Amino acid sequence: MLNNYIIDRIKLPFRKEKELFSSLYDIMGFYPRRIEYYKLALMHKSVAKRNAKGRPLNNERLEFLGDAILDAVVGDIVYRHFEGKREGFLTNTRSKLVQRDTLNKLAQEMGLNHLILSAGQTNSHNSYMGGNAFEALVGAIYLDQGYDACMRFMQRRVLAQLINIDKVAYKEVNFKSKLIEWSQKNRVRLDFKLVEQHKENNSSPVFCYRAMIEGLEGGTGKGYSKKESQQLASKETLQKLRREPQFIDAVFAAKAGRTKMEEEPVESVPDTEESANFIISQPKPATDKAPEPVHDVTLAENPKLEKTADTHDIDEFDLSDITATPQEESREDIIAKAEAMAFAEPKNIE
């Protein structure tokens, strides 16, 4: 009731402007002074309106201004909130708070999306319309009421009611894991290439990695550790895959070329026949008689052959002659003993 009373006290010519004032109060927590800034902040470039001088009227300039103000305001808040934290932590936290996905969700939760004027439906090329409008809104607040009003808006309306800054700061989004999962599902080759490594003035190491998908250059990331740089490279690669359909087409075209080459035979199947050139040929005896079989040779005909202890006839080596010892020798010991007996040098019989 109080809000409606205050709005009625403001001299507004049209009912729609009263509704806009009320909606902006619900979003920001205070009423605008110069409504024209906020109207411009909510005007998408697809509307294609122009002023009296023929210049386009849209929120792109306010978006540029709001982006810079938002970085300063959030940086100030993060710096004061996380006392003693290092620069890398502060930068990472601020990046999470001002990234397009976060701003898109804020615009949706606050109802800002319903106030945007656009010529068509939201699609892939303007999917960040809400986040852009949020930045333009911050730019409008800055021009209308100054930096302190932007600070109060972010502290009281956004961070106090919509975002838990501590959860955002300590939540690790594993972009590398997401990229690896995507590449495995699509059977796409993924590598991380070290592009550069150096040390800053304070001797802190800096790494620069680039994600390579099927040999094509993806995103590049620079950080104070390999993990951080590969995370940033993975994030940029995922954004590239989502926003650039031609990049995805090139990746799968490269994959098709690679798999086709892998399926084609590189050379003929190698021969499995073993070479027998290690066998030494023996001269044939100068006789027409066929050689007598080995098992017919007796000890008298060849005194170099030694008769066995149990007077068995000398015959071809037979594994049945080998029995297990009382100690139950292993299979390896039995085979070793058999080979020793088979290839032992024959002894001369005196």
Side-chain angles (χ1 to χ4, degrees), residues 23 29 60 88 106 178 189 195 221 224 227 239 253 279 290 295 349:
S23 298
E60 287 186 334
L106 283 175
K178 290 184 177 181
R189 282 187 175 176
V195 179
Y224 293 102
K227 180 181 178 181
Q239 292 175 342
I279 299 177
H295 63 270
I349 300 177

Side-chain angles (χ1 to χ4, degrees), residues 191-209:
D191 300 293
F192 289 91
K193 179 181 178 181
L194 180 62
V195 179
E196 182 185 359
Q197 179 179 350
H198 64 273
K199 290 187 177 181
E200 290 187 338
N201 296 332
N202 58 357
S203 300
S204 298
V206 177
F207 301 89
C208 181
Y209 273 88

Side-chain angles (χ1 to χ4, degrees), residues 119-179:
Q121 296 180 349
T122 303
N123 51 37
S124 59
H125 72 271
N126 59 12
S127 59
Y128 295 107
M129 184 186 296
N132 295 340
F134 184 91
E135 289 182 335
L137 177 66
V138 173
I141 295 173
Y142 175 75
L143 292 178
D144 183 36
Q145 300 194 26
Y147 179 86
D148 290 341
C150 295
M151 178 67 74
R152 288 193 299 270
F153 168 64
M154 289 300 299
Q155 286 179 325
R156 300 175 184 177
R157 183 68 181 97
V158 177
L159 296 177
Q161 300 180 26
L162 298 174
I163 294 180
N164 186 323
I165 189 172
D166 294 298
K167 285 186 177 181
V168 171
Y170 293 102
K171 182 180 179 181
E172 180 66 32
V173 181
N174 197 334
F175 296 106
K176 182 179 179 181
S177 178
K178 290 184 177 181
L179 182 60

Side-chain angles (χ1 to χ4, degrees), residues 17-228:
E17 280 202 349
K18 292 181 180 181
E19 293 176 354
L20 179 59
F21 264 85
S22 178
S23 298
L24 288 173
Y25 180 87
D26 292 337
I27 291 172
M28 302 184 302
F30 55 87
Y31 288 107
R33 293 173 183 169
R34 301 184 62 179
I35 192 64
E36 61 269 20
Y37 289 137
Y38 302 90
K39 287 182 178 180
L40 190 60
L42 298 172
M43 191 174 298
H44 188 256
K45 63 181 180 180
S46 62
V47 177
K49 284 189 176 182
R50 295 183 178 273
N51 60 12
K53 297 181 178 180
R55 295 175 181 173
L57 291 174
N58 57 58
N59 61 4
E60 287 186 334
R61 283 170 52 84
L62 279 175
E63 177 190 338
F64 163 79
L65 178 61
D67 178 62
I69 299 300
L70 195 59
D71 273 350
V73 169
V74 174
D76 191 341
I77 294 172
V78 169
Y79 178 84
R80 297 175 189 275
H81 186 84
F82 297 102
E83 186 177 355
K85 290 293 184 180
R86 296 180 62 182
E87 181 266 346
F89 176 88
L90 301 178
T91 301
N92 192 29
T93 303
R94 182 183 62 183
S95 298
K96 292 177 185 177
L97 290 170
V98 301
Q99 66 181 356
R100 280 291 183 272
D101 291 337
T102 303
L103 300 184
N104 278 343
K105 291 178 182 178
L106 283 175
Q108 184 177 359
E109 291 295 325
M110 300 172 79
L112 188 63
N113 287 350
H114 302 298
L115 303 179
I116 301 173
L117 299 177
S118 64
Q121 296 180 349
T122 303
N123 51 37
S124 59
H125 72 271
N126 59 12
S127 59
Y128 295 107
M129 184 186 296
N132 295 340
F134 184 91
E135 289 182 335
L137 177 66
V138 173
I141 295 173
Y142 175 75
L143 292 178
D144 183 36
Q145 300 194 26
Y147 179 86
D148 290 341
C150 295
M151 178 67 74
R152 288 193 299 270
F153 168 64
M154 289 300 299
Q155 286 179 325
R156 300 175 184 177
R157 183 68 181 97
V158 177
L159 296 177
Q161 300 180 26
L162 298 174
I163 294 180
N164 186 323
I165 189 172
D166 294 298
K167 285 186 177 181
V168 171
Y170 293 102
K171 182 180 179 181
E172 180 66 32
V173 181
N174 197 334
F175 296 106
K176 182 179 179 181
S177 178
K178 290 184 177 181
L179 182 60
I180 292 174
E181 181 182 357
W182 179 87
S183 63
Q184 289 177 345
K185 284 183 178 179
N186 292 277
R187 298 181 180 180
V188 170
R189 282 187 175 176
L190 171 64
D191 300 293
F192 289 91
K193 179 181 178 181
L194 180 62
V195 179
E196 182 185 359
Q197 179 179 350
H198 64 273
K199 290 187 177 181
E200 290 187 338
N201 296 332
N202 58 357
S203 300
S204 298
V206 177
F207 301 89
C208 181
Y209 273 88
R210 178 177 294 126
M212 304 294 294
I213 303 182
E214 289 292 345
L216 301 176
E217 293 185 359
T220 303
K222 182 179 292 187
Y224 293 102
S225 67
K226 294 179 180 180
K227 180 181 178 181
E228 182 184 1

